[in-house]
């Protein structure tokens, strides 16, 4: 009788430990995937920001008939949001009818670079 109880107890402990191991593996996979996704999103942030500024610049030209005079103008009128602690943005326009040069450089400690 005690032997059967011991076998039941051993099976219950084995099932519990197996469940804990599977849970830890699933959580570990989730954390690894989240960290990987976050790192990739961070490294591509400068490209995404540059593309958003370029789209807003072209939209401004289509609506107003001229390219915007500055990035600040895009922030005020076209909803561009720049995290200046993470990126340096250089916007150089030659004339109101010529597409300006847009350069986005990650601040120190950031990776990746996009310029045109």
């Amino acid at each position: 009788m005690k032997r059967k109880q011991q076998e039941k107890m051993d099976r219950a402990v084995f099932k519990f430990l197996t469940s804990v191991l599977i849970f830890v593996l699933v959580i570990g996979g989730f954390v690894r995937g989240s960290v990987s996704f976050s790192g990739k999103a961070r490294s591509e942030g400068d490209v995404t920001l540059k593309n958003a500024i370029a789209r807003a610049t072209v939209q401004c030209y289509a609506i107003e008939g001229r390219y915007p005079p500055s990035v600040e103008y895009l922030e005020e009128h076209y909803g561009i949001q720049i995290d200046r602690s993470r990126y340096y943005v250089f916007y150089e326009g030659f004339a109101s009818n010529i597409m300006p040069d847009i350069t986005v450089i990650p601040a120190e400690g950031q990776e990746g670079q996009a310029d045109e």
Side-chain angles (χ1 to χ4, degrees):
M1 180 128 170
K2 286 187 177 187
R3 189 173 195 188
K4 279 190 173 189
Q5 284 179 336
Q6 184 63 37
E7 287 176 7
K8 283 184 180 181
M9 184 65 102
D10 289 346
R11 272 189 258 140
V13 169
F14 178 75
K15 287 180 182 180
F16 174 76
L17 292 176
T18 302
S19 297
V20 169
L21 178 63
I22 290 171
F23 178 76
V24 167
L25 290 174
V26 168
I27 293 298
F30 177 76
V31 169
R32 183 175 179 188
S34 296
V35 168
S36 173
F37 177 77
S38 176
K40 186 172 182 174
R42 199 175 308 119
S43 71
E44 293 180 0
D46 54 343
V47 174
T48 303
L49 178 59
K50 181 185 182 232
N51 290 339
I53 293 170
R55 279 192 308 271
T57 300
V58 171
Q59 182 182 13
C60 177
Y61 185 78
I63 293 171
E64 300 180 19
R66 65 182 177 88
Y67 287 107
S70 66
V71 175
E72 289 76 19
Y73 185 87
L74 291 173
E75 287 178 307
E76 283 181 33
H77 297 95
Y78 289 90
I80 293 295
Q81 296 178 352
I82 300 171
D83 183 353
R84 297 195 187 275
S85 66
R86 291 184 65 194
Y87 302 103
Y88 300 117
V89 177
F90 301 96
Y91 182 92
E92 299 175 37
F94 174 71
S96 64
N97 62 341
I98 297 175
M99 178 74 171
D101 274 343
I102 302 165
T103 304
V104 176
I105 300 174
E108 283 188 40
Q110 304 295 322
E111 293 182 10
Q113 177 176 341
D115 61 34
E116 185 172 341

